[in-house]
Amino acid sequence: MVAALLALAAARAVAEHAPHAAAVTVTAVVLFACYAAGPALLRVRPSSGAAALWLGVVAVVWMVLLALTQDGIWLAFPFFFVQLHLLPTRWALPAVAGTTAVAIAGFARHTHTLNVGTVIGPVLGAAVAVAVVLGYQALYRESEQRRRLIEELTAARSDLAAAEHAAGVLAERERLAREIHDTLAQGLSSIQLLLRAAERALPQRADTALGHVRHARTTAVDNLAEARRFVRELSPPDLEAGSLPAALERLCATTARASGLAVHCQVSGVPTELPIPHEVALLRIAQSALANTVRHAGAGRAELTLSYMETEVALDVVDDGTGFAPGDVPPAGSAAATGAGFGLAAMRARARALHGTLAVESAPGEGTAVAVTLPVPGRTGAPAHTGTRESEATP
């Protein structure tokens, strides 16, 4: 635009045989050279001081052109944009106002008139330039703000995805740890006990030893099925084959045969169908509690009670063993735990996942009681303790 306007001013001066045609042409060439040098100067864009100096030189040459020909007023309009672009707003607006005043004065000097039209033209051009540039700057700031917001959201989404992935990995590890502890670890412990019993029975009681070995083999097969099912997150085989009370009775019978412990199973209330997660959690907690009784309690008898209530279901496992101080059990995973304490932590985690509670009452020499209570969603109110079913499992 500047090059075209300068060429037009010089051509008109030459075509109209203006008295200063040569001076106009030379001034136009100098002005274009000064203007074109701006982008080539490296300090003009980053430094407002260098930009002001360059604009001052251009303005001086432009005022010389304006003094020679009234066509110089046309250059004021592109100069508005350059000033608003390079200078801070607090400097750019006075520069635009000064350029406008000079343009009006120069044009009035050549035409010897100063009327509304002479003033409105440059003022309107300045107003348009200011509005366009300030509007563009506002849109640019908004665009930059949105860009930064999008970058922040993208980073937050990446962080959230990483956190969700880490939480998923941790949850899966905890699930596998609980399943392994409550199924494979307990099954291997039972197999170990059975094989020790078979070893003690040999060679005098070969039939008894054979029975222990067969039972160990059955336990191994059952645990292999358990492993395949919890990898696929299916229900335990005992629950697939029947109800939760029946599964608990089979668990008591199996524990009694494998350990020699007398286990009494009792169901209180009206048995109703529970959500699968509740049945799995109760069965696993019962397995873990009885395994702890066999392994650590030195008990001769254990009582397992499943209670159906109006809005809750409760499971109690009580033994007459040596007991322990619950406060002395180190947290699972701590340096002092050495592999112990995970059973209680896993039971608490299962209860907490279903918004239930688990309590452990014990003292040295006074046995141990484990009680878990789970709320049952959607239970409409079957009366509690309306019937009792008992079974006794002895070795």
Side-chain angles (χ1 to χ4, degrees):
M1 183 186 292
V2 170
L5 292 175
L6 288 173
L8 178 61
R12 284 192 57 177
V14 172
E16 295 176 0
H17 303 287
H20 305 293
V24 171
T25 302
V26 172
T27 306
V29 172
V30 173
L31 181 56
F32 178 75
C34 294
Y35 188 84
L41 299 176
L42 299 180
R43 293 182 56 82
V44 169
R45 287 182 180 271
S47 172
S48 58
L53 179 61
W54 174 74
L55 287 172
V57 172
V58 172
V60 169
V61 180
W62 169 69
M63 285 188 287
V64 173
L65 179 65
L66 184 61
L68 295 173
T69 175
Q70 64 181 14
D71 294 339
I73 194 174
W74 299 335
L75 276 300
F77 187 69
F79 287 169
F80 294 152
F81 289 96
V82 178
Q83 292 166 344
L84 291 167
H85 177 66
L86 291 180
L87 298 178
T89 303
R90 65 178 183 275
W91 293 0
L93 294 179
V96 170
T99 302
T100 305
V102 171
I104 294 172
F107 188 78
R109 174 178 173 275
H110 284 287
T111 60
H112 305 289
T113 58
L114 183 64
N115 51 37
V116 175
T118 304
V119 175
I120 287 181
V123 171
L124 185 60
V128 170
V130 170
V132 170
V133 172
L134 294 183
Y136 168 79
Q137 291 176 350
L139 291 175
Y140 179 78
R141 287 193 298 270
E142 183 178 356
S143 177
E144 283 295 297
Q145 184 178 4
R146 288 183 178 179
R147 182 185 60 80
R148 289 192 296 269
L149 180 60
I150 290 173
E151 290 178 352
E152 293 174 359
L153 290 175
T154 302
R157 185 172 61 182
S158 300
D159 294 341
L160 180 60
E164 288 179 348
H165 176 72
V169 171
L170 181 60
E172 183 65 10
R173 286 178 179 173
E174 291 180 352
R175 182 187 76 85
L176 291 176
R178 289 196 302 266
E179 295 294 342
I180 290 172
H181 179 273
D182 294 342
T183 56
L184 300 185
Q186 312 303 347
L188 292 173
S189 179
S190 298
I191 292 172
Q192 183 183 27
L193 293 174
L194 289 167
L195 292 179
R196 284 182 179 176
E199 184 180 12
R200 288 194 298 268
L202 289 173
Q204 292 84 1
R205 293 178 292 163
D207 292 341
T208 302
L210 180 60
H212 290 320
V213 170
R214 287 175 175 171
H215 187 50
R217 187 178 63 183
T218 302
T219 303
V221 172
D222 292 342
N223 276 264
L224 179 60
E226 287 277 10
R228 289 170 176 168
R229 281 170 167 79
F230 78 65
V231 167
R232 296 192 301 266
E233 293 190 292
L234 300 178
S235 299
D238 287 339
L239 292 178
E240 289 183 348
S243 63
L244 176 62
L248 293 176
E249 290 176 2
R250 285 193 296 272
L251 172 63
C252 292
T254 302
T255 303
R257 287 197 306 269
S259 64
L261 178 70
V263 184
H264 179 229
C265 182
Q266 175 177 318
V267 178
S268 176
V270 177
T272 57
E273 185 176 356
L274 298 174
I276 293 298
H278 287 62
E279 292 189 344
V280 172
L282 291 172
L283 178 59
R284 296 304 190 210
I285 291 173
Q287 288 174 330
S288 185
L290 288 178
N292 286 343
T293 298
V294 172
R295 187 181 305 172
H296 305 295
R301 183 178 179 84
E303 298 279 345
L304 187 150
T305 304
L306 178 65
S307 303
Y308 289 91
M309 295 173 282
E310 291 186 0
T311 58
E312 296 176 330
V313 60
L315 176 70
D316 299 281
V317 181
V318 182
D319 66 63
D320 59 357
T322 57
F324 66 100
D328 295 340
V329 178
S334 64
T338 62
F342 185 80
L344 290 175
M347 287 189 281
R348 287 194 177 95
R350 289 186 184 277
R352 187 166 54 248
L354 297 174
H355 308 288
T357 59
L358 185 137
V360 179
E361 295 182 1
S362 183
E366 298 183 6
T368 302
V370 177
V372 58
T373 303
L374 302 179
V376 181
R379 182 67 62 82
T380 56
H385 302 288
T386 57
T388 300
R389 184 178 70 194
E390 298 183 4
S391 64
E392 180 82 18
T394 55

